[in-house]
Amino acid sequence: MYPSRFRYEAPHSLDEAISLLRGGGDYAKVLAGGQSLVPLMKLRFASPELVVDINNVPGLGYHRADPDGTLRIGALCRHADLEHSDLLPGTQPTMAAAAPLIADPIVRNRGTLVGSLCHADPQGDWASVVVSLGGSVVAAGPAGRRVIPMADFVTGPFQNVLAPDEIAVEAVIPPAKGVRAGGYLKLERRVGDFATVGVAVAIETSGEVVTRAGIALTGVGGSTIAATEAAQALVGQPLTAGSIGRAADLAAAAAQPRTDHRGSAEYKRHMVATFVERILSRADHEAERAA
């Protein structure tokens, strides 16, 4: 099937792109990687009147660390850039674990992290990773820039808080205040498939004590789920079999899965608990080896 008729613009500056969106009619879409938008348009699940292609806008293809350790990912940074990054291993274990699991090589070569966050697919991988890390999205619009915590960015399936004339230009991961550990695991029917269950865990430790924790779930609800109670159960104490088991049980309780052709709700909750326990146990063993 072919997309419905639309107007296409490829601005060469961010200000021009925002201006186009502001005057673009009732329904405009920003195109960065296009790995989600183009298939939706071909199926006519999305029929924008205007497509604003930002690939000619300079200075958005970066991922870099500030001197204080803040990680910044530009709107045109591709999944493959993160998969092959020399910056993530050792400093961003949760992101480093997730990057090779995003879709397939074709999608990773064109798709973008920021675009994935904006798409707000309940089965998307990056949203749970960024939520677990306490990250945020920077949006640019006619009134300037604003920083939106990722926990507040998604409002529902395929919905976010961006205004029609705003563009998400950057994702920001705050610096760790301790030693960062964690990971990302997903259950998929075949390599490159959407997650049946995905779990992102990010912790920070000082000595043996967990000083910060984030746990977020993919594919087991109408949007990304922040398992806040499960994460808080880890804070203020060392990782032990008991604390890990409690966090795993609380994360499973926070999940909102439905029984479908991929598995029963009970099975998906079990996988949430299994993944949380597996990631935290691995982090505990790595900490013991480093001590």
Side-chain angles (χ1 to χ4, degrees), residues 23 38 103 107 117 149 152 165-166 171 183 187 189 197 211 252 256 275:
V38 172
V107 171
L117 300 182
D152 302 327
D165 55 1
E166 283 186 313
L187 175 67
R189 293 180 299 176
V197 176
T211 55
Q256 302 168 10
F275 283 167

Side-chain angles (χ1 to χ4, degrees), residues 169-186:
V169 294
E170 185 180 66
V172 180
I173 307 299
K177 296 180 180 178
V179 178
R180 185 171 270 158
Y184 182 75
L185 291 172
K186 69 187 285 189

Side-chain angles (χ1 to χ4, degrees), residues 35-120:
Q35 300 305 294
S36 298
L37 177 60
V38 172
L40 290 177
M41 290 175 63
K42 289 181 69 176
L43 293 169
R44 299 202 177 189
F45 291 154
S47 299
E49 297 176 0
L50 169 66
V51 171
V52 178
D53 184 343
I54 63 171
N55 280 276
N56 290 328
V57 176
L60 295 178
Y62 59 87
H63 70 287
R64 61 173 182 261
D66 290 348
D68 68 353
T70 299
L71 179 66
R72 300 184 183 275
I73 303 134
L76 294 179
C77 177
R78 314 294 173 181
H79 303 307
D81 296 333
L82 299 171
E83 179 185 8
H84 302 294
S85 171
D86 294 329
L87 191 60
L88 301 188
T91 61
Q92 297 287 348
T94 306
M95 295 190 72
L101 302 181
I102 306 300
D104 55 50
I106 294 174
V107 171
R108 291 199 294 272
N109 282 334
R110 289 301 303 167
T112 66
L113 179 145
V114 173
S116 177
L117 300 182
C118 293
H119 185 52

